[in-house]
Every structure is written in C-alpha cells, then in structure tokens.
Amino acid sequence: MCGICGWIDFNRDLGGPDARRELADMTATMANRGPDDEGNWIGGPAALGHRRLAIIDIQGGRQPMTLQEDGRPDLVLVYTGETYNYRELRQRLAGQGHRFDTSSDTEVVLHAHREWGHCDPRNAVRELNGMFAYALWDTAKRELLLVRDRLGIKPLYYYPTEHGVLFGSEPKAILANSLAEPAMDADGLRRTLSFVADPHNTVFSGMHEVRPGHVVRVTCDGIQQMTYWQLTDTGHTDDVPTTVRYVRELLEDTIQRQLIADVPLCSLLSGGLDSSALTALAAHFSDRRIRSFAVDFVGYTNNFIPRPWQPTPDGPFVQEVAKYVGTDHTDITLSAHELMDPGVRAATLHARDLPLTLGDLDSSLYLLFRAIGQHSTVALSGEAADELFGGYSYFHDPAHIQRDTFPWIEDTDDFARWFLDPGLVEKLELPGYVDEQYRRALAEVPALTGPVSANPHERRMREVCHLSLTRRLPGLLDRKDRMSMALGVEVRVPYCDHRLVEYVFGTPWAYKTFDRREKSLLRAATADLLPQSVVQRVKSAYPEIQDSTYDRMLRARFTALLNDRNAAVAPLLSVDGSRALLDPTRNRRRIERILTLQDFLNDYKVSLTI
C-alpha cells in the first residue's frame, strides 16, 4: 500500500527546479501512506511521485516503476494497493513471453497493460482482482491513465489545469501544488452537510474523484472518463443451498488470496457475524496464529445502554470468538479524554482531508490503528458485508424502504433548520440536493430480469442494495482507508472481492432473507465456523462511547464555538444553534459535523464562496 501523486503539463517541461520542488512537496504529503520509501520520475510533461508502504517483494517493488522498450522508458507506473491474482497473471504473461525483474504485483500490472491494454486500457484493468489506484504514463502516446478499483476501496483524485492535470491519493497531495486552490462552493457545502457519497462532488471546487470502476484518460486533447466495471443483473438461477455453498467457496478463495503478505497481518474483530467469519477463515487458512484487535471504551460493557442500532456491546462476543478461534487477541480500551484530545482530532481531520469526520467514531478508529501499527502492517476488515448481504436495519424496515429517498439518510432539512442561517438554508436547499443525488443514483440501477422482476418488493430491494453499495459503502471505505493509512496500516476488505459482490448482488432478496433474518446467506455460509451466540447475534453498529464525560466535553467545545463571532464557520450558523445543546447526545453527529467544518475551514485555509 502506498501514496501516489503527479502532475501532467503538456505545455511545459517539468524537469526544471521549480517543478521538481512542487513534485517533492506533493510527494511529501503522502509520507504517512508510505513510510518505507520514496521515489519520483520526471520526463518532459510528466512528473510522478510515490511513497511506499512495503507489503510484497519488499526489496524489489520500488516505484515509480518503468517498462522499457529499446532501452528507454515506455510505460511508467505509480501504484497503490494490491492485485491479489498477480501470481496467476504473472504466469499467463510469462507464457506470452514477458520477462520479470521483480516478484511484485506492481510489475505485473505494468506488463498487463503492455499485453492487454494497448488498444483499450480497460481490457488490462478487467484482468485485475484487487484493491488499487494507479497512474500509468505512456511516453510514446503522451497519455496518462488514472485507474481505480471496482468498489472504490483505494482513493484517487484529480484536478484539471489549463494544460493538463494534477492527481493524488488524497486531496492534500494536489493542494500542495501552487496550481490548486483550496476552495469550496455551495455544492461543496451541500456535500459536507448531507450524508450521501456523491461521486461527482469532492467538496473542493475543481477537484474530482476517479469514480470506482472507471479509467480517466488524460491527453493534450482533454480528459475522458471510461467505465470498465459496473453492477449488472446476472439472472441468478442457483437455488438457495447452491448459493450458500458458492458464497462459502468465494469467501475461502478470497481470504486465501488476501492472506498473502511479507509483513505481519491481523484481523479487526467486533464479535459480529462479518468480522468473526473473516477472522475464523483467516485463522483456518493462515500458517501462523492470527492476531486480532478490537476497540473498547473504559467501563463500556458494564455500563452499556442498549440502543436500536447497538442492542449489545461487542466485548463479550469478541472474547468468545477470540477464544473459540484461537486468535492472539488485544483489546484497545479508550477513554473520553483520549477521544477528545485536540491532537487526535486534528490528526483525524488531516487524515480525512475533508470535513466529513465522525467525531468519536473516527478518533477511536484512528487510535485503534495507532495501536495496531505497533504489531501489524496489514489488517483484514469486514466492510461491505452489511451492504452486500442486507445487514442494516433499514433493509428490514418497511417505513424506510418505502421512502422515496436514500433509506438511511436523516432529515437534512431538520438538520439545516437547527444549525444554519435561514438565508443559507434557503440557498443550499439541501432536500433538493439530496433528491437530485437520489434520482441520479436510481438511474444507474440495472433492471431486474427473470421471474422475480414481477415482484415489486424484489425490484425495490434491488434498488436499495445498489444504493447501499454505490452511495453508502464508498464513504465507509474511504474512512477506513484514511484512518489506517495515516498510520501506515493497510486494510484489506475481503467482502469487496468483485466476484463475491457480483454474485451476491444478483441473488433475489428472498434468498438474502431466507431464514427471515438479516444476512441469511452469510450466516448459513459461515455458521459452522463460529459460536452459536455470534451466529444468532443481531447486527450492532460500530461502537460509540457512551460516557457522559464525552458529551460534556463536546458541549463545552460547541458552546465556545457559538460564542466566537470570529469563527470561520460563524457566518453560516443560526443564532438558534444552541438548541442542539439541549440534547447533546442525540445531536452528537450534527454537532461533530459543525465542529469539523470549523476546523477544516481554519486548517486548510479554505476559500468559501456561497
């Protein structure tokens, strides 16, 4: 896992000292993502930078990596992520006459583009099974390709300029170049204040994401987006027992692929079905004892208060799974003061680069990875299982399903009226923005075919599953990537294997609930690996601290912000914003979002134009 960045300017030779200095500044921002090595390549209009976190072929996988023809660099690659099927691809390519100098997956990607991507780069990308984001410069064609994996596990941004483009794994890399301005307009603020992953809106004006499943081609003639993968209707014909067996086969194959690493590996364990199944499979296939880690809070289990989204504490289930599976387990126990520590909160914002942090949820995740990084470099995590198998409560609540909007979203209009200046509320028109995103997302849902297509509920659940995978999951993947990579830990997400996603997405909703519960297919496929208490456990969300000390500290900070007339966010706030303090626990996420926006505007010197 690594950090990448670069600069293309078709009107300029970037070999001069000023351009080299700018590239060095961009690359330096990626130091946390790649603490093990640094490299750059400059040739004519192209300048590529790389920071490396060494996982596979520690000695031979240095970047930028070139593929030469007639003694000159032909293709130049900066790459982050993992290609899990690189060994099979390497064997196929060797059979076609390709010769390799390293045992890294990066070199395999280079040769894949030489062999299969010379006419259409998408043909090469489709051969890759993994999580990745990379930039490939073709010196002969004077063409840059920006490529992102199918689900958007690894981030990649770009910023068009007058004569080319800037790009980076994170916005901070782009903003380190003098051509980029840290600016936010009304759309950026709408994205900040809503809870929808809008692939067309990165918050920063003029900056874009490479969308999951896409290739962006940059030439002197302009920028072109190309789709190489998207969810489709597969016309599922397997019966339930066959489907359960194949889900298990896919999980076993995926876990074995993702255990490959030349550095210590661990599992994130919450005691829920998703993480417990991954941990059990990893323990079964690993040739060494698996380490597992869980986040906990001081006094959490003993003083736990059940909530609809958190009916049970993780602790007892974590301990039971760790003992049952035989992991070398560690609990990371945190306090309210640690979560509210100014240095930790600043670090989480710097890691996210965007005003989208979730307060204590991000702080606890950051501190978890800080502890993990002392023992392991790679961690397995259960993201995507809920979106894929139907784990969230909204999947099973008719009132949420029948709403003509994203079923998980809160009342954005209520949020705006509580916190924002009335004139700004009218101008932003957040409900309209969310509805526009919803209509755009619905238009991407593939039509249901076969006998189940006549069932209105099946059609609606196809929509909800697609929305969850394309508009909810990306935010969770981004959060996990940023918090882990800020501390030099690579997170692998087996449930995002595109073969598993394609297969399960295509199954009827009736299959996903055949035992009249959430995640029926996953439960049936992994029940033999786990204690019955975990198999039967009801979904419980990522833990949030329940210590009232945290809410008192949050209340004090928010009160100080409301009383600061010089605060950067002050012109945006309603004079009645203090109403949120009447119930700071219920409004915790809303208060956190405003505090984060204040820190973001300050720390990033953002020019706000509404």
Side-chain angles (χ1 to χ4, degrees):
M1 198 67 69
C2 311
I4 67 173
C5 63
W7 180 10
I8 305 297
D9 190 324
F10 292 105
N11 260 27
R12 181 179 176 186
D13 185 335
L14 297 179
D18 291 343
R20 288 180 178 274
R21 188 161 46 249
E22 296 243 39
L23 179 64
D25 290 344
M26 295 172 71
T27 306
T29 68
M30 299 286 97
N32 287 343
R33 296 186 72 92
D36 296 330
D37 197 9
E38 176 181 4
N40 62 60
W41 183 92
I42 298 175
L48 309 182
H50 187 266
R51 292 286 315 202
R52 186 181 184 211
L53 176 65
I55 302 293
I56 294 175
D57 190 5
I58 294 173
Q59 299 302 319
R62 298 193 67 188
Q63 298 185 48
M65 189 174 286
T66 61
L67 191 58
Q68 299 192 350
E69 188 171 276
D70 298 328
R72 294 179 301 173
D74 179 32
L75 300 177
V76 187
L77 177 68
V78 283
Y79 171 93
T80 176
E82 306 291 345
T83 297
Y84 300 121
N85 64 334
Y86 78 99
R87 290 175 173 174
E88 299 99 302
L89 295 179
R90 179 189 177 98
Q91 188 174 11
R92 287 172 56 195
L93 289 163
Q96 297 293 323
H98 292 257
R99 299 180 61 183
F100 294 87
D101 297 320
T102 75
S103 58
S104 72
D105 57 340
T106 305
E107 188 178 15
V108 171
V109 173
L110 263 175
H111 284 269
H113 275 274
R114 169 67 62 79
E115 178 66 27
W116 299 307
H118 54 279
C119 293
D120 186 339
R122 293 174 293 186
N123 293 332
V125 186
R126 291 186 183 112
E127 296 286 344
L128 310 181
N129 176 317
M131 57 175 190
F132 46 80
Y134 60 90
L136 181 71
W137 173 249
D138 188 316
T139 61
K141 294 181 180 178
R142 288 168 58 92
E143 171 185 279
L144 178 74
L145 300 176
L146 300 174
V147 182
R148 194 174 180 198
D149 64 64
R150 294 167 177 85
L151 274 296
I153 305 167
K154 305 313 298 177
L156 185 56
Y157 295 83
Y158 66 101
Y159 187 99
T161 63
E162 183 179 1
H163 300 298
V165 73
L166 307 170
F167 68 88
S169 292
E170 299 175 358
K172 64 171 66 72
I174 292 171
L175 296 174
N177 191 294
S178 60
L179 293 177
E181 179 186 0
M184 180 196 290
D185 58 18
D187 269 344
L189 191 55
R190 291 184 183 103
R191 170 72 180 88
T192 299
L193 299 175
S194 64
F195 288 83
V196 179
D198 176 2
H200 305 278
N201 185 343
T202 66
V203 174
F204 289 106
S205 302
M207 193 180 295
H208 308 272
E209 276 188 83
V210 177
R211 294 191 63 182
H214 280 65
V215 175
V216 173
R217 173 186 273 151
V218 182
T219 69
C220 60
D221 295 324
I223 296 176
Q224 176 191 10
Q225 294 190 53
M226 301 181 289
T227 303
Y228 72 86
W229 182 87
Q230 58 189 343
L231 289 166
T232 59
D233 182 77
T234 57
H236 194 81
T237 57
D238 293 342
D239 60 15
V240 170
T242 304
T243 300
V244 169
R245 285 196 299 272
Y246 192 54
V247 167
R248 176 64 172 263
E249 290 175 15
L250 286 171
L251 284 173
E252 290 186 353
D253 182 70
T254 298
I255 289 293
Q256 291 179 79
R257 291 174 184 272
Q258 298 196 19
L259 285 174
I260 298 172
D262 295 332
V263 293
L265 179 146
C266 71
S267 177
L268 304 185
L269 180 59
S270 71
L273 179 63
D274 316 338
S275 67
S276 299
L278 291 186
T279 302
L281 285 167
H284 177 74
F285 288 110
S286 178
D287 58 2
R288 65 190 77 173
R289 190 181 183 194
I290 288 288
R291 294 197 68 132
S292 60
F293 292 86
V295 67
D296 200 359
F297 307 106
V298 175
Y300 186 73
T301 299
N302 292 337
N303 302 293
F304 182 78
I305 301 172
R307 296 170 177 174
W309 62 94
Q310 286 175 322
T312 53
D314 289 348
F317 297 94
V318 167
Q319 298 305 319
E320 187 173 6
V321 173
K323 183 178 180 180
Y324 190 89
V325 174
T327 68
D328 179 6
H329 182 73
T330 303
D331 285 323
I332 308 302
T333 305
L334 307 172
S335 69
H337 290 279
E338 288 177 288
L339 296 178
M340 194 56 94
D341 179 88
V344 171
R345 294 177 74 86
T348 61
L349 175 60
H350 185 71
R352 288 297 291 269
D353 259 353
L354 301 168
L356 307 177
T357 61
L358 297 174
D360 63 300
L361 301 183
D362 280 1
S363 296
S364 65
L365 192 60
Y366 179 88
L367 292 169
L368 174 64
F369 282 120
R370 188 170 73 179
I372 288 174
Q374 298 174 20
H375 308 279
S376 301
T377 309
V378 176
L380 300 179
S381 187
E383 271 72 21
D386 285 307
E387 290 81 3
L388 188 57
F389 291 99
Y392 294 120
S393 60
Y394 65 74
F395 279 103
H396 311 278
D397 183 340
H400 280 79
I401 292 301
Q402 291 165 13
R403 293 170 59 204
D404 191 25
T405 188
F406 300 101
W408 62 85
I409 204 163
E410 67 174 58
D411 188 342
T412 54
D413 193 40
D414 180 57
F415 169 73
R417 286 185 280 105
W418 268 60
F419 284 89
L420 303 181
D421 175 80
L424 181 62
V425 171
E426 183 178 353
K427 185 166 186 176
L428 291 179
E429 221 276 284
L430 286 177
Y433 171 77
V434 171
D435 186 66
E436 179 186 351
Q437 299 310 310
Y438 177 65
R439 304 300 161 195
R440 181 181 290 182
L442 277 184
E444 299 174 6
V445 180
L448 194 63
T449 60
V452 295
S453 63
N455 185 324
H457 186 62
E458 285 282 354
R459 292 199 300 270
R460 177 55 179 165
M461 294 314 297
R462 165 61 62 87
E463 292 177 344
V464 172
C465 291
H466 194 277
L467 293 171
S468 299
L469 286 166
T470 62
R471 295 305 192 274
R472 181 181 175 95
L473 178 61
L476 299 177
L477 292 174
D478 186 73
R479 169 177 174 259
K480 187 61 67 73
D481 173 86
R482 301 303 187 86
M483 294 301 110
S484 61
M485 291 303 295
L487 293 152
V489 176
E490 172 183 290
V491 170
R492 298 179 178 179
V493 280
Y495 292 116
C496 286
D497 184 285
H498 74 274
R499 300 167 303 161
L500 180 66
V501 171
E502 290 170 351
Y503 185 74
V504 176
F505 177 74
T507 60
W509 178 250
Y511 282 27
K512 295 174 184 175
T513 54
F514 74 83
D515 64 357
R516 300 179 183 239
R517 287 198 56 186
E518 77 284 356
K519 293 189 279 197
S520 302
L521 291 175
L522 180 60
R523 180 177 296 101
T526 59
D528 62 303
L529 301 167
L530 303 169
Q532 272 302 301
S533 62
V534 173
V535 174
Q536 299 303 325
R537 187 188 181 194
V538 175
K539 163 72 180 176
S540 192
Y542 180 86
E544 56 184 356
I545 191 167
Q546 295 185 351
D547 187 345
S548 60
T549 302
Y550 184 86
D551 289 308
R552 286 198 298 272
M553 297 170 74
L554 192 67
R555 177 189 180 105
R557 185 157 184 244
F558 189 60
T559 299
L561 176 63
L562 293 176
N563 292 331
D564 183 1
R565 295 182 178 180
N566 295 318
V569 79
L572 308 180
L573 299 183
S574 165
V575 294
D576 296 326
S578 58
R579 287 187 300 164
L581 298 174
L582 298 175
D583 189 353
T585 302
R586 178 176 176 272
N587 288 301
R588 182 187 288 182
R589 294 292 152 253
R590 296 171 171 184
I591 292 173
E592 296 275 24
R593 185 57 60 96
I594 296 298
L595 290 173
T596 299
L597 180 58
Q598 163 65 20
D599 292 340
F600 173 73
L601 294 175
N602 265 350
D603 296 355
Y604 283 75
K605 305 294 187 292
V606 175
S607 171
L608 186 60
T609 305
I610 305 298

